[in-house]
Amino acid sequence: MANEGHVNRRTFLKVAGGSGLAATAGCIGLGGDSGGTIVLGQPAAQTGQWDFLQPGVSQATDVAIQQINDAGGPLGNELELQRRDTGVDPNEARSVTTQLIENDDAVAILGLFSSEINPLWDFLQEQETPVVTPWPGSNFLDTNGGDHDTPDDLSDDEWVWRTVISDTVHTAGAALRALDQDHDTVGVINGTTEGARSWADGFIEAFEANDGTIAERIEVEQEQSSYQSALDRLFGNDFSAFAVSMPLESATTLLSDWADGEYGRKPILSDPLAQPDLASQVGSALDGAWAASPGQSGPGYDTFESAYQDGGDAEINAWTPPAWDVVNVTALAIERAGEASAEAIEQNLGPVTRGDGTEVSTFEEGQQALEDGDEINYQGAATPVDFTGFGNVVGSVVINEVQGDSFEQVETIPAEDIQEFVPEGEY
């Protein structure tokens, strides 16, 4: 969409006033300076095995929405968030997504995990509503999603965008660090969720591509009372380190069994496991274990952090800055489009994050630049955003190491060092 068309559309709306509004329960489908309400839906992990990550994501979302509304809102309208719990269960996620779109009139979905998106892929395509999410690392999305670099043409769109880097990126970082530490042969143990498998797949692919050897890979069910037999099988092989990719509760059980059994060798942890609770519950045997996580090094990080700290006391995790970016890019897409419809948002997510436009790190800055007739390039908190044609972002990877009862950042791997591991196949 050319800048000239964008300006003309906004001019039309100012002249036409509210003639294009869909008056449904006080919410709008099209917008101008109407003073209406734009609903965004957030499927949330308020219960289930990933619920410990939701408070930070909720706080980032709520603070971003408040800041946007304080600036006057997209096209003069107030953003309203409808948050519904899915428990990260695909069946519940399908029901919640339907409710958000059909009952709540949400024009965009701000969430969903890998283990919800992948099995619901065809269903999500049928909704033709953009899913802009801070959660999924799945390497399935490396070549599925986005607008295929044709924002004006919806016919080839796949409607899913993520503001967090792919598992392919930070698992490559984990693999490269393992090799740098002379762990040429490793074991792998992972759970059965889509996210757990995806992390293990990405780690193995990058590790083997750089001449590493996988001694054994074992997949186990989550929520077992003991993992002793699985550990016995894994540690019957010769390796110097082992990678663990499981939900926190199950990983705590497994690693406690590992510590009690004095199996030794170095644990390499998937990024959701970089939690103080894991370090404190497993104890000193875990000292020196580490996780490679999405970096919090976007150009707009300081802006995010300042606002976030004023909004509550939830801890920042690797998915918190991406949640901030989700809200801001969606609001800026509405502002650039001149209307708050699912199709308009989908067509403008790419244009507000790519190219040589005025760099902005807040909605208010972007709103002003668009009012001035400029194109914009949103600079995110987690990454620069710069959506690829598949709706992906690339950023740095940080290494967090267990030191006592906490994880401490000990190294940053720049995005350019692992860029080659991000595939961009044929559209």
Side-chain angles (χ1 to χ4, degrees):
M1 184 181 295
N3 190 44
E4 181 180 2
H6 147 71
V7 173
N8 288 345
R9 174 62 175 156
R10 286 180 59 82
T11 302
F12 167 78
L13 285 167
K14 288 179 180 178
V15 172
S19 61
L21 299 184
T24 305
C27 302
I28 64 171
L30 298 175
D33 296 323
S34 66
T37 302
I38 300 170
V39 178
L40 304 175
Q42 186 176 70
Q46 293 171 305
T47 60
Q49 58 194 356
W50 304 111
D51 61 353
F52 63 97
L53 297 173
Q54 186 64 44
V57 167
S58 293
Q59 183 170 313
T61 303
D62 295 344
V63 170
I65 286 177
Q66 185 60 57
Q67 188 179 83
I68 290 166
N69 286 337
D70 288 346
L75 307 171
N77 300 290
E78 182 177 358
L79 285 183
E80 175 185 307
L81 184 78
Q82 187 64 249
R83 180 176 292 132
R84 294 182 181 272
D85 182 33
T86 71
V88 197
D89 174 82
N91 292 327
E92 188 64 21
R94 183 186 183 107
S95 175
V96 162
T97 300
T98 300
Q99 287 179 296
L100 290 170
I101 294 171
E102 296 185 1
N103 298 345
D104 301 321
D105 298 317
V107 293
I109 301 299
L110 310 187
L112 294 177
F113 282 63
S114 300
S115 51
E116 297 168 313
I117 290 172
N118 292 20
L120 296 179
W121 185 255
D122 291 342
F123 163 76
L124 293 174
Q125 298 307 302
E126 292 167 1
Q127 305 315 300
E128 296 190 341
T129 298
V131 175
V132 194
T133 172
W135 292 116
S138 174
N139 49 29
F140 170 79
L141 294 177
D142 288 354
T143 52
N144 290 280
D147 63 3
H148 295 190
D149 278 325
T150 57
D152 290 331
D153 180 9
L154 289 173
S155 67
D156 62 356
D157 282 38
E158 292 182 300
W159 298 91
V160 176
W161 309 72
R162 58 178 167 183
T163 55
V164 67
I165 63 175
S166 168
D167 283 346
T168 303
V169 179
H170 55 87
T171 55
L176 295 178
R177 188 172 197 262
L179 291 165
D180 285 345
Q181 293 193 327
D182 296 324
H183 297 300
D184 297 326
T185 303
V186 303
V188 176
I189 187 165
N190 64 268
T192 56
T193 65
E194 180 61 37
R197 285 172 172 157
S198 174
W199 189 95
D201 289 343
F203 177 87
I204 291 169
E205 182 177 357
F207 192 73
E208 291 182 331
N210 286 273
D211 300 323
T213 299
I214 302 298
E216 179 77 17
R217 177 182 183 175
I218 294 176
E219 186 166 285
V220 295
E221 294 294 332
Q222 281 97 216
E223 301 179 359
Q224 300 297 302
S225 60
S226 172
Y227 289 97
Q228 198 75 50
S229 62
L231 289 168
D232 287 342
R233 287 163 51 208
L234 183 65
F235 281 83
N237 297 277
D238 184 21
F239 53 81
S240 60
F242 65 106
V244 180
S245 177
M246 303 169 72
L248 180 61
E249 183 177 349
S250 299
T252 301
T253 302
L254 181 140
L255 288 165
S256 295
D257 289 346
W258 163 80
D260 292 343
E262 298 182 347
Y263 288 91
R265 303 179 232 186
K266 182 73 68 178
I268 301 168
L269 309 173
S270 63
D271 50 302
L273 300 181
Q275 304 295 326
D277 283 352
L278 180 69
S280 62
Q281 291 187 47
V282 174
S284 61
L286 204 59
D287 281 358
W290 50 269
S293 304
Q296 300 172 0
S297 57
Y301 183 82
D302 289 345
T303 299
F304 149 76
E305 186 178 34
S306 176
Y308 182 86
Q309 299 297 355
D310 290 338
D313 57 5
E315 288 190 13
I316 293 175
N317 60 56
W319 294 267
T320 307
W324 169 270
D325 292 339
V326 159
V327 181
N328 279 288
V329 296
T330 303
L332 288 169
I334 295 169
E335 188 74 19
R336 183 183 187 274
E339 65 178 69
S341 67
E343 294 83 1
I345 295 169
E346 175 73 8
Q347 289 181 304
N348 285 274
L349 287 165
V352 299
T353 61
R354 306 168 180 153
D356 300 323
T358 300
E359 293 186 351
V360 301
S361 59
T362 66
F363 171 80
E364 187 172 21
E365 292 172 354
Q367 182 185 51
Q368 185 59 59
L370 290 167
E371 288 282 0
D372 292 342
D374 299 332
E375 287 290 6
I376 61 171
N377 186 329
Y378 174 70
Q379 300 292 293
T383 72
V385 184
D386 294 335
F387 280 130
T388 70
F390 288 114
N392 293 313
V393 297
V394 178
S396 63
V397 172
V398 297
I399 304 299
N400 296 302
E401 186 177 270
V402 178
Q403 297 178 7
D405 288 344
S406 64
F407 281 80
E408 300 296 333
Q409 185 174 321
V410 296
E411 184 181 348
T412 298
I413 303 174
E416 53 267 26
D417 289 359
I418 43 183
Q419 176 76 49
E420 65 184 278
F421 293 100
V422 181
E424 283 292 328
E426 296 295 325
Y427 296 128

